[in-house]
Amino acid sequence: MGSSLMDQNYPPSGFKTTELRKNTSQYQETIYRYFLAIVKTDSPDQVLQKFRGLFIDHIEINDRAVNQALFSLVFANQEENFSHTLKRCCYILINNWEASRHHDAVRDLVSSFEAQKIGRNSHSIPIKRLKAWTLNFINSPDYEGIKLFCAKFDLEEQTWSDRYTSYLLVPQYTNLQNSAEQRQAAKVRSQELKEKFKFDLAMYTTRSQLTHKRTDEPPKNPTRLGDEVLHLIKTILLRRGPYNYLNLANIFLQQTQNLSYQEFKQALQRYLIFSVNDTAFIHLIENQLSVKLEDVYTDYDSLPVTRALQLRTCNRVVEYLTTEDRTTPSTLFVLWVAQNNPLTLVTMMLKLILISKPTRVHLEARIADLISYYKNYPEQECKWLINFMEVLNIAFAIYADNVQYNLVRIDQKSLGSQTESNLDKYQIFSQLNMDKPVDFVHENHEDFLEEEE
């Protein structure tokens, strides 16, 4: 290694740009195969050295075919193909390093791009083009997506939205236009972050109730709610017995099996507001959501409801509650957050995913849209959204498949009913079931509606 890429006698004299463009996919595959091979055989440092040589320092590496493949992409003058190649190579490395637990290598990969920002100038036109393309990539959303993979290793959060990286990763793995490597890496990292939060929350609830002496080291609270988090968990756990949320969901599914689609939509509204005591919330549902549901998929109103229709309808309700254009907050979301009672809205979302598990992925993708919309706002202006996110995380953690929370009375002298006024008489007990597989990621394709017709 050492000489500049463009010092090579390539492309040959008389080449035609059109010919290079015809073979673009072949050049890309050459580069992909190279990194897929060396990431399995070479050390992370060796792989990073070759990656930097090719894409950052623009010097030749010890594989002539790879050098020429990159030359061809540059001379074909198709920046989009170059960016796609660079991004997929990043995810090939990230996937393999994550699997082998070489997390430092992922951070070093990102650092390599940061060094490119202050790289040396060049008089070579092809090198200038390559540098410009790489800098454009660094300033693109694709690179922002790559930086998310360093989130759980950073000791300090850079912005308030960094706390919710697990959501921001969801659109990466639900987008079928992304490479398989990118989708897999995003799925794994998102799940890791969620599992870490569930574990930290369970440990906090246990240790915080065992800490009685001032000399004891206080347990680390994984939320931003302070001591209020224990009261919130107890409030959520109050709904136990025959009418807990999971049982209600099962009853709803049983009772709606033989209904027409129009009847299903009406039953869905009743299910969502069942046992809700917030009159403002009920008013919003009856006057806003009901109108939208009446107009959704009306061609199927007289037909029997199907699993596909249930999924698509729950997904639409999620959009009405979050963002309908996947960019800006929906009218219902804006109206609802003004009420400043996130638990009721979170409960409604929880009810939706309990009757349609695949809807959880759709919900988290739309939550990611909201975070992206607000993430450039100062934290002080987003406290209401942060509060909503914390309540959402806690509710989902409590109803996770591999964790169990119970509310146990510690004062047996007064056996009154469970109400918010006597929550101090109860303690939270949490248990992680690490042997139970996590049923989190579900493919959320809606095209099977036509298959069932």
Side-chain angles (χ1 to χ4, degrees):
M1 301 179 65
S3 61
S4 170
L5 279 171
M6 301 307 166
D7 289 341
Q8 305 300 309
N9 185 24
Y10 191 85
S13 59
F15 82 97
K16 295 181 179 180
T17 301
T18 54
E19 291 299 320
L20 291 175
R21 290 177 178 173
K22 288 181 181 179
N23 298 317
T24 294
S25 60
Q26 178 183 333
Y27 305 138
Q28 291 174 311
E29 283 299 323
T30 297
I31 298 173
Y32 300 149
R33 286 197 298 268
Y34 174 75
F35 282 105
L36 279 168
I38 66 171
V39 77
K40 298 181 186 301
T41 59
D42 295 1
S43 70
D45 287 342
Q46 291 173 320
V47 175
L48 270 173
Q49 184 180 13
K50 294 168 184 176
F51 179 89
R52 283 194 292 258
L54 195 66
F55 290 113
I56 307 298
D57 300 325
H58 313 305
I59 58 178
E60 67 169 327
I61 60 175
N62 59 351
D63 192 303
R64 181 175 177 81
V66 174
N67 293 331
Q68 292 186 351
L70 184 61
F71 301 159
S72 300
L73 291 177
V74 174
F75 283 109
N77 198 21
Q78 291 184 315
E79 182 176 358
E80 183 178 351
N81 288 330
F82 168 82
S83 297
H84 180 80
T85 304
L86 177 53
K87 180 174 75 167
R88 186 172 175 186
C89 287
C90 289
Y91 284 107
I92 287 173
L93 302 186
I94 289 172
N95 253 337
N96 283 274
W97 286 335
E98 283 293 294
S100 57
R101 300 188 178 278
H102 289 117
H103 303 306
D104 288 344
V106 178
R107 282 188 293 186
D108 292 340
L109 178 67
V110 173
S111 299
S112 297
F113 287 105
E114 297 301 317
Q116 164 69 6
K117 293 181 180 180
I118 55 174
R120 299 186 302 273
N121 293 325
S122 173
H123 297 292
S124 165
I125 292 177
I127 289 293
K128 284 184 177 180
R129 179 184 296 172
L130 197 52
K131 284 181 175 291
W133 288 356
T134 306
L135 285 173
N136 289 343
F137 178 80
I138 292 173
N139 294 318
S140 71
D142 286 334
Y143 179 64
E144 290 299 315
I146 289 172
K147 289 200 295 184
L148 290 175
F149 288 83
C150 294
K152 77 173 183 179
F153 306 118
D154 292 336
L155 297 178
E156 296 183 2
E157 299 165 8
Q158 300 300 313
T159 66
W160 64 265
S161 62
D162 290 342
R163 282 183 56 80
Y164 311 112
T165 296
S166 61
Y167 291 90
L168 294 173
L169 287 166
V170 175
Q172 289 195 37
Y173 70 76
T174 56
N175 185 353
L176 299 180
Q177 300 302 314
N178 289 333
S179 67
E181 292 86 0
Q182 179 177 356
R183 296 183 67 205
Q184 176 65 16
K187 181 190 295 186
V188 170
R189 176 57 59 84
S190 178
Q191 180 64 15
E192 285 177 346
L193 293 173
K194 284 177 170 55
E195 291 301 311
K196 183 178 186 302
F197 177 82
K198 286 193 290 187
F199 177 81
D200 291 346
L201 183 65
M203 291 300 99
Y204 172 76
T205 56
T206 300
R207 292 173 180 171
S208 61
Q209 295 172 115
L210 296 176
T211 303
H212 301 294
K213 301 178 182 179
R214 292 184 179 180
T215 55
D216 291 342
E217 182 180 353
K220 184 178 179 181
N221 187 340
T223 78
R224 286 195 172 187
L225 299 181
D227 294 337
E228 179 188 347
V229 64
L230 296 178
H231 185 275
L232 175 63
I233 293 174
K234 291 178 182 180
T235 301
I236 295 174
L237 291 176
L238 279 178
R239 178 54 68 95
R240 290 301 192 188
Y243 293 108
N244 65 59
Y245 294 126
L246 187 57
N247 283 347
L248 283 176
N250 290 330
I251 292 170
F252 171 81
L253 291 174
Q254 292 173 6
Q255 291 182 345
T256 57
Q257 282 183 352
N258 300 316
L259 297 182
S260 69
Y261 180 55
Q262 185 176 30
E263 292 170 329
F264 169 82
K265 290 189 290 185
Q266 294 169 350
L268 179 61
Q269 295 175 61
R270 294 192 295 271
Y271 163 71
L272 292 176
I273 64 175
F274 180 80
S275 74
V276 173
N277 298 319
D278 192 319
T279 55
F281 177 80
I282 295 175
H283 179 77
L284 277 177
I285 297 302
E286 292 179 341
N287 291 276
Q288 297 284 337
L289 184 60
S290 61
V291 175
K292 290 182 176 294
L293 277 176
E294 285 177 6
D295 295 335
V296 70
Y297 306 131
T298 53
D299 290 345
Y300 301 94
D301 277 349
S302 60
L303 300 178
V305 66
T306 63
R307 288 179 55 234
L309 275 171
Q310 290 178 3
L311 166 62
R312 297 184 73 167
T313 306
C314 289
N315 286 356
R316 295 297 82 75
V317 173
V318 161
E319 292 167 7
Y320 301 147
L321 295 176
T322 54
T323 170
E324 295 184 57
D325 60 5
R326 305 193 177 187
T327 303
T328 57
S330 67
T331 301
L332 266 176
F333 184 78
V334 174
L335 287 172
W336 181 243
V337 295
Q339 305 294 331
N340 198 28
N341 185 5
L343 182 56
T344 306
L345 179 60
V346 168
T347 299
M348 185 172 182
M349 294 175 172
L350 180 63
K351 285 182 174 181
L352 283 171
I353 66 171
L354 287 176
I355 63 173
S356 177
K357 284 189 176 182
T359 294
R360 177 166 180 172
V361 178
H362 192 71
L363 170 62
E364 293 181 344
R366 302 293 72 78
I367 294 294
D369 295 334
L370 291 175
I371 296 171
S372 297
Y373 178 83
Y374 287 107
K375 70 178 182 180
N376 292 324
Y377 285 72
E379 180 173 344
Q380 189 67 24
E381 297 180 21
C382 295
K383 284 190 173 181
W384 59 269
L385 179 60
I386 293 171
N387 193 43
F388 163 76
M389 291 300 307
E390 296 297 322
V391 175
L392 184 70
N393 282 343
I394 292 167
F396 281 7
I398 290 175
Y399 277 84
D401 290 332
N402 61 340
V403 64
Q404 182 177 357
Y405 283 84
N406 290 293
L407 203 58
V408 179
R409 178 180 286 275
I410 56 175
D411 181 2
Q412 298 294 336
K413 296 179 181 179
S414 175
L415 296 176
S417 60
Q418 291 181 346
T419 65
E420 291 194 38
S421 62
N422 64 2
L423 285 179
D424 290 341
K425 297 182 175 65
Y426 292 84
Q427 276 195 351
I428 307 163
F429 287 88
S430 57
Q431 181 178 1
L432 288 170
N433 184 359
M434 304 310 294
D435 296 328
K436 188 172 182 179
V438 178
D439 184 18
F440 166 66
V441 177
H442 302 269
E443 294 300 332
N444 192 17
H445 305 309
E446 296 184 339
D447 53 3
F448 70 104
L449 174 63
E450 287 73 24
E451 295 175 7
E452 292 198 359
E453 290 181 349

